[in-house]
Amino acid sequence: MTGIRNIVILTGAGISAESGLKTFRAEDGLWENHPVEEVATPEGFARDPALVQRFYDERRAQISAAQPNPAHEALGRLDREWSGDFLLVTQNIDDLHERGGARRVLHMHGEGLSAWCRACDARHRWEEPLSHGPACPSCGEAAMRPDIVWFGEMPYQMDRIFDALARADLFVSIGTSGAVYPAAGFVQQAAANGARTLELNLEESLGSRNFDETRLGAASELVPAWVA
Ligand code: BV8
């Protein structure tokens, strides 16, 4: 990749589809069984915490059972071998990037294997269900919620992301429909700062027109071919 020093990558549910984790907006997608307002908003959680806890308990169990695919592993290799700046921003809550060898990962929408105490604000790695109301290891209160950014909540580490986009020479979007902001706007921010932009996706996305180049296909084929 001549002339490229600083890379920012954005991934979405599509990169984990071939690991068996459902995407959001396919016909058999995650939200199919639930209106998104019911399970991915603070209001939905306040209205029916048991339903939302069960929704994420189910996702947490699926994450632990899933394995990284060649796309995760190719990005892991790139991260370890790249001497310049590298930031892998993911909208995904699974840990398949980390298990695929990536190190410089930023989960902007939170992590399924993390729990957040509403009483003392502590976060804990969490692989068990939350629906039975476990006590927070730090304060003992039964006030643990999924450590997930719901609609209307502030995504994590936005300053760090905006800073990386300002310095990027290359922005690559992989496996995302471009339906959710602020992630869907990153390509324009990167381009406005002079970065080249590439999209790798199974199909045209809502943001394809904003990319210098779009390659269509499965992530497990496109990503290793691009990294090679
Ligand atoms: C915020 C929780 C303020 C985790 C999620 C009107 C206009 C603009 C914005 C808004 C608006 N009204 C409201 C908003 C804001 C709102 C928003 O964007 N709403 C949308 C619906 C319009 N956003 C927010 O509320 C965000 N917060 O804005 O705060 C702010 C603003 C700026 C700066 C600071 C603060 C919070 C958004 C986070 C919501 N939480 N999930 C969880 O449950 O998992 S969003 C959810 O959708 C997931 O995180 C997911 O990652 C994300 C995006 O979905 P995708 O990952 O793209 O998945 P999808 O199924 O859609 O697409 C998969 C793609 O993969 C497809 O294109 C498919 O073709 C492709 N694919 C499939 N298989 C493969 C493949 N590609 C390659 N290979 C394959 N094998």
Side-chain angles (χ1 to χ4, degrees), residues 72-73 75-77 79-80 86 88 96-105:
H72 297 109
E73 287 159 354
L75 294 183
R77 276 197 306 281
D79 183 3
R80 292 196 304 276
F86 179 94
L88 173 41
L96 297 178
H97 282 307
E98 292 86 346
R99 285 198 272 146
R103 293 285 167 271
R104 294 176 274 186
V105 181

PDB file of all heavy atoms in Angstrom, residues 72-73 75-77 79-80 86 88 96-105:
ATOM      1  N   HIS A  72     -11.334 -11.849  10.085  1.00  0.00           N
ATOM      2  CA  HIS A  72     -10.811 -11.383  11.384  1.00  0.00           C
ATOM      3  C   HIS A  72      -9.303 -11.660  11.460  1.00  0.00           C
ATOM      4  O   HIS A  72      -8.521 -10.831  11.940  1.00  0.00           O
ATOM      5  CB  HIS A  72     -11.491 -12.123  12.542  1.00  0.00           C
ATOM      6  CG  HIS A  72     -12.973 -11.892  12.652  1.00  0.00           C
ATOM      7  ND1 HIS A  72     -13.898 -12.871  12.348  1.00  0.00           N
ATOM      8  CD2 HIS A  72     -13.686 -10.810  13.028  1.00  0.00           C
ATOM      9  CE1 HIS A  72     -15.113 -12.386  12.552  1.00  0.00           C
ATOM     10  NE2 HIS A  72     -15.022 -11.154  12.965  1.00  0.00           N
ATOM     11  N   GLU A  73      -8.908 -12.835  10.997  1.00  0.00           N
ATOM     12  CA  GLU A  73      -7.497 -13.237  11.107  1.00  0.00           C
ATOM     13  C   GLU A  73      -6.603 -12.389  10.185  1.00  0.00           C
ATOM     14  O   GLU A  73      -5.504 -12.000  10.560  1.00  0.00           O
ATOM     15  CB  GLU A  73      -7.361 -14.743  10.800  1.00  0.00           C
ATOM     16  CG  GLU A  73      -7.914 -15.574  11.945  1.00  0.00           C
ATOM     17  CD  GLU A  73      -8.288 -17.005  11.571  1.00  0.00           C
ATOM     18  OE1 GLU A  73      -8.232 -17.339  10.369  1.00  0.00           O
ATOM     19  OE2 GLU A  73      -8.641 -17.768  12.491  1.00  0.00           O
ATOM     20  N   LEU A  75      -7.172  -9.248   9.340  1.00  0.00           N
ATOM     21  CA  LEU A  75      -7.017  -7.935   9.990  1.00  0.00           C
ATOM     22  C   LEU A  75      -6.078  -8.038  11.192  1.00  0.00           C
ATOM     23  O   LEU A  75      -5.319  -7.103  11.479  1.00  0.00           O
ATOM     24  CB  LEU A  75      -8.375  -7.386  10.419  1.00  0.00           C
ATOM     25  CG  LEU A  75      -9.348  -7.021   9.290  1.00  0.00           C
ATOM     26  CD1 LEU A  75     -10.637  -6.428   9.877  1.00  0.00           C
ATOM     27  CD2 LEU A  75      -8.711  -6.042   8.292  1.00  0.00           C
ATOM     28  N   GLY A  76      -6.098  -9.190  11.860  1.00  0.00           N
ATOM     29  CA  GLY A  76      -5.175  -9.389  12.981  1.00  0.00           C
ATOM     30  C   GLY A  76      -3.728  -9.356  12.506  1.00  0.00           C
ATOM     31  O   GLY A  76      -2.859  -8.713  13.112  1.00  0.00           O
ATOM     32  N   ARG A  77      -3.471 -10.021  11.365  1.00  0.00           N
ATOM     33  CA  ARG A  77      -2.110 -10.029  10.794  1.00  0.00           C
ATOM     34  C   ARG A  77      -1.702  -8.605  10.414  1.00  0.00           C
ATOM     35  O   ARG A  77      -0.618  -8.130  10.746  1.00  0.00           O
ATOM     36  CB  ARG A  77      -2.067 -10.903   9.532  1.00  0.00           C
ATOM     37  CG  ARG A  77      -1.890 -12.368   9.765  1.00  0.00           C
ATOM     38  CD  ARG A  77      -1.452 -13.111   8.498  1.00  0.00           C
ATOM     39  NE  ARG A  77      -2.348 -12.875   7.352  1.00  0.00           N
ATOM     40  CZ  ARG A  77      -3.528 -13.483   7.189  1.00  0.00           C
ATOM     41  NH1 ARG A  77      -3.967 -14.309   8.125  1.00  0.00           N
ATOM     42  NH2 ARG A  77      -4.290 -13.243   6.128  1.00  0.00           N
ATOM     43  N   ASP A  79      -2.779  -5.751  11.551  1.00  0.00           N
ATOM     44  CA  ASP A  79      -2.530  -4.929  12.752  1.00  0.00           C
ATOM     45  C   ASP A  79      -1.148  -5.223  13.323  1.00  0.00           C
ATOM     46  O   ASP A  79      -0.379  -4.311  13.643  1.00  0.00           O
ATOM     47  CB  ASP A  79      -3.621  -5.227  13.794  1.00  0.00           C
ATOM     48  CG  ASP A  79      -3.491  -4.373  15.050  1.00  0.00           C
ATOM     49  OD1 ASP A  79      -2.593  -3.513  15.102  1.00  0.00           O
ATOM     50  OD2 ASP A  79      -4.298  -4.583  15.980  1.00  0.00           O
ATOM     51  N   ARG A  80      -0.799  -6.494  13.418  1.00  0.00           N
ATOM     52  CA  ARG A  80       0.495  -6.850  14.044  1.00  0.00           C
ATOM     53  C   ARG A  80       1.673  -6.442  13.159  1.00  0.00           C
ATOM     54  O   ARG A  80       2.736  -6.083  13.654  1.00  0.00           O
ATOM     55  CB  ARG A  80       0.533  -8.348  14.334  1.00  0.00           C
ATOM     56  CG  ARG A  80      -0.442  -8.791  15.417  1.00  0.00           C
ATOM     57  CD  ARG A  80      -0.115 -10.179  15.940  1.00  0.00           C
ATOM     58  NE  ARG A  80      -0.074 -11.161  14.861  1.00  0.00           N
ATOM     59  CZ  ARG A  80      -1.163 -11.787  14.374  1.00  0.00           C
ATOM     60  NH1 ARG A  80      -2.361 -11.481  14.843  1.00  0.00           N
ATOM     61  NH2 ARG A  80      -1.068 -12.684  13.415  1.00  0.00           N
ATOM     62  N   PHE A  86      -2.693   2.523  13.267  1.00  0.00           N
ATOM     63  CA  PHE A  86      -3.711   1.550  12.841  1.00  0.00           C
ATOM     64  C   PHE A  86      -4.807   1.567  13.894  1.00  0.00           C
ATOM     65  O   PHE A  86      -4.525   1.438  15.086  1.00  0.00           O
ATOM     66  CB  PHE A  86      -3.089   0.153  12.762  1.00  0.00           C
ATOM     67  CG  PHE A  86      -4.048  -0.937  12.351  1.00  0.00           C
ATOM     68  CD1 PHE A  86      -4.157  -1.328  11.014  1.00  0.00           C
ATOM     69  CD2 PHE A  86      -4.863  -1.583  13.282  1.00  0.00           C
ATOM     70  CE1 PHE A  86      -5.029  -2.335  10.622  1.00  0.00           C
ATOM     71  CE2 PHE A  86      -5.753  -2.582  12.898  1.00  0.00           C
ATOM     72  CZ  PHE A  86      -5.830  -2.958  11.571  1.00  0.00           C
ATOM     73  N   LEU A  88      -8.693  -0.137  14.482  1.00  0.00           N
ATOM     74  CA  LEU A  88      -9.796  -0.980  14.005  1.00  0.00           C
ATOM     75  C   LEU A  88     -11.023  -0.624  14.848  1.00  0.00           C
ATOM     76  O   LEU A  88     -11.146  -1.072  15.994  1.00  0.00           O
ATOM     77  CB  LEU A  88      -9.411  -2.463  14.155  1.00  0.00           C
ATOM     78  CG  LEU A  88     -10.443  -3.541  13.892  1.00  0.00           C
ATOM     79  CD1 LEU A  88     -11.319  -3.269  12.685  1.00  0.00           C
ATOM     80  CD2 LEU A  88      -9.745  -4.891  13.749  1.00  0.00           C
ATOM     81  N   LEU A  96     -14.396 -11.228  18.330  1.00  0.00           N
ATOM     82  CA  LEU A  96     -13.734 -12.006  17.269  1.00  0.00           C
ATOM     83  C   LEU A  96     -12.530 -11.279  16.668  1.00  0.00           C
ATOM     84  O   LEU A  96     -11.571 -11.925  16.222  1.00  0.00           O
ATOM     85  CB  LEU A  96     -14.751 -12.400  16.190  1.00  0.00           C
ATOM     86  CG  LEU A  96     -15.883 -13.320  16.686  1.00  0.00           C
ATOM     87  CD1 LEU A  96     -16.864 -13.619  15.570  1.00  0.00           C
ATOM     88  CD2 LEU A  96     -15.324 -14.612  17.274  1.00  0.00           C
ATOM     89  N   HIS A  97     -12.517  -9.963  16.666  1.00  0.00           N
ATOM     90  CA  HIS A  97     -11.305  -9.258  16.198  1.00  0.00           C
ATOM     91  C   HIS A  97     -10.129  -9.570  17.128  1.00  0.00           C
ATOM     92  O   HIS A  97      -9.026  -9.872  16.669  1.00  0.00           O
ATOM     93  CB  HIS A  97     -11.547  -7.744  16.180  1.00  0.00           C
ATOM     94  CG  HIS A  97     -12.350  -7.276  14.993  1.00  0.00           C
ATOM     95  ND1 HIS A  97     -12.007  -7.577  13.690  1.00  0.00           N
ATOM     96  CD2 HIS A  97     -13.469  -6.531  14.916  1.00  0.00           C
ATOM     97  CE1 HIS A  97     -12.889  -7.032  12.876  1.00  0.00           C
ATOM     98  NE2 HIS A  97     -13.787  -6.398  13.589  1.00  0.00           N
ATOM     99  N   GLU A  98     -10.367  -9.500  18.414  1.00  0.00           N
ATOM    100  CA  GLU A  98      -9.289  -9.788  19.382  1.00  0.00           C
ATOM    101  C   GLU A  98      -8.853 -11.244  19.269  1.00  0.00           C
ATOM    102  O   GLU A  98      -7.664 -11.550  19.217  1.00  0.00           O
ATOM    103  CB  GLU A  98      -9.749  -9.477  20.813  1.00  0.00           C
ATOM    104  CG  GLU A  98      -9.967  -7.997  21.107  1.00  0.00           C
ATOM    105  CD  GLU A  98     -11.362  -7.463  20.740  1.00  0.00           C
ATOM    106  OE1 GLU A  98     -12.110  -8.162  20.002  1.00  0.00           O
ATOM    107  OE2 GLU A  98     -11.698  -6.357  21.170  1.00  0.00           O
ATOM    108  N   ARG A  99      -9.805 -12.145  19.168  1.00  0.00           N
ATOM    109  CA  ARG A  99      -9.449 -13.579  19.054  1.00  0.00           C
ATOM    110  C   ARG A  99      -8.852 -13.876  17.682  1.00  0.00           C
ATOM    111  O   ARG A  99      -8.178 -14.899  17.499  1.00  0.00           O
ATOM    112  CB  ARG A  99     -10.684 -14.445  19.328  1.00  0.00           C
ATOM    113  CG  ARG A  99     -11.038 -14.496  20.816  1.00  0.00           C
ATOM    114  CD  ARG A  99     -11.950 -15.665  21.129  1.00  0.00           C
ATOM    115  NE  ARG A  99     -13.360 -15.326  20.974  1.00  0.00           N
ATOM    116  CZ  ARG A  99     -14.300 -16.185  20.548  1.00  0.00           C
ATOM    117  NH1 ARG A  99     -13.983 -17.413  20.224  1.00  0.00           N
ATOM    118  NH2 ARG A  99     -15.557 -15.810  20.466  1.00  0.00           N
ATOM    119  N   GLY A 100      -9.040 -12.978  16.736  1.00  0.00           N
ATOM    120  CA  GLY A 100      -8.408 -13.142  15.419  1.00  0.00           C
ATOM    121  C   GLY A 100      -7.031 -12.505  15.371  1.00  0.00           C
ATOM    122  O   GLY A 100      -6.389 -12.469  14.324  1.00  0.00           O
ATOM    123  N   GLY A 101      -6.576 -11.949  16.524  1.00  0.00           N
ATOM    124  CA  GLY A 101      -5.205 -11.455  16.609  1.00  0.00           C
ATOM    125  C   GLY A 101      -5.063  -9.951  16.555  1.00  0.00           C
ATOM    126  O   GLY A 101      -3.955  -9.427  16.671  1.00  0.00           O
ATOM    127  N   ALA A 102      -6.174  -9.215  16.377  1.00  0.00           N
ATOM    128  CA  ALA A 102      -6.052  -7.750  16.329  1.00  0.00           C
ATOM    129  C   ALA A 102      -5.846  -7.215  17.741  1.00  0.00           C
ATOM    130  O   ALA A 102      -6.346  -7.783  18.722  1.00  0.00           O
ATOM    131  CB  ALA A 102      -7.308  -7.141  15.707  1.00  0.00           C
ATOM    132  N   ARG A 103      -5.095  -6.112  17.838  1.00  0.00           N
ATOM    133  CA  ARG A 103      -4.790  -5.537  19.158  1.00  0.00           C
ATOM    134  C   ARG A 103      -5.362  -4.136  19.286  1.00  0.00           C
ATOM    135  O   ARG A 103      -5.921  -3.763  20.306  1.00  0.00           O
ATOM    136  CB  ARG A 103      -3.262  -5.461  19.347  1.00  0.00           C
ATOM    137  CG  ARG A 103      -2.590  -6.808  19.440  1.00  0.00           C
ATOM    138  CD  ARG A 103      -2.828  -7.470  20.787  1.00  0.00           C
ATOM    139  NE  ARG A 103      -2.440  -8.890  20.771  1.00  0.00           N
ATOM    140  CZ  ARG A 103      -3.287  -9.871  20.418  1.00  0.00           C
ATOM    141  NH1 ARG A 103      -4.524  -9.589  20.040  1.00  0.00           N
ATOM    142  NH2 ARG A 103      -2.910 -11.138  20.421  1.00  0.00           N
ATOM    143  N   ARG A 104      -5.232  -3.350  18.242  1.00  0.00           N
ATOM    144  CA  ARG A 104      -5.655  -1.931  18.301  1.00  0.00           C
ATOM    145  C   ARG A 104      -7.116  -1.827  17.882  1.00  0.00           C
ATOM    146  O   ARG A 104      -7.467  -1.313  16.846  1.00  0.00           O
ATOM    147  CB  ARG A 104      -4.724  -1.095  17.414  1.00  0.00           C
ATOM    148  CG  ARG A 104      -3.281  -1.051  17.930  1.00  0.00           C
ATOM    149  CD  ARG A 104      -2.317  -0.298  17.010  1.00  0.00           C
ATOM    150  NE  ARG A 104      -1.762  -1.162  15.953  1.00  0.00           N
ATOM    151  CZ  ARG A 104      -0.804  -0.761  15.096  1.00  0.00           C
ATOM    152  NH1 ARG A 104      -0.354   0.490  15.151  1.00  0.00           N
ATOM    153  NH2 ARG A 104      -0.326  -1.587  14.178  1.00  0.00           N
ATOM    154  N   VAL A 105      -8.020  -2.393  18.765  1.00  0.00           N
ATOM    155  CA  VAL A 105      -9.454  -2.503  18.482  1.00  0.00           C
ATOM    156  C   VAL A 105     -10.219  -1.527  19.366  1.00  0.00           C
ATOM    157  O   VAL A 105      -9.921  -1.406  20.566  1.00  0.00           O
ATOM    158  CB  VAL A 105      -9.946  -3.944  18.755  1.00  0.00           C
ATOM    159  CG1 VAL A 105     -11.441  -4.078  18.429  1.00  0.00           C
ATOM    160  CG2 VAL A 105      -9.140  -4.960  17.925  1.00  0.00           C
TER     161      VAL A 105
END
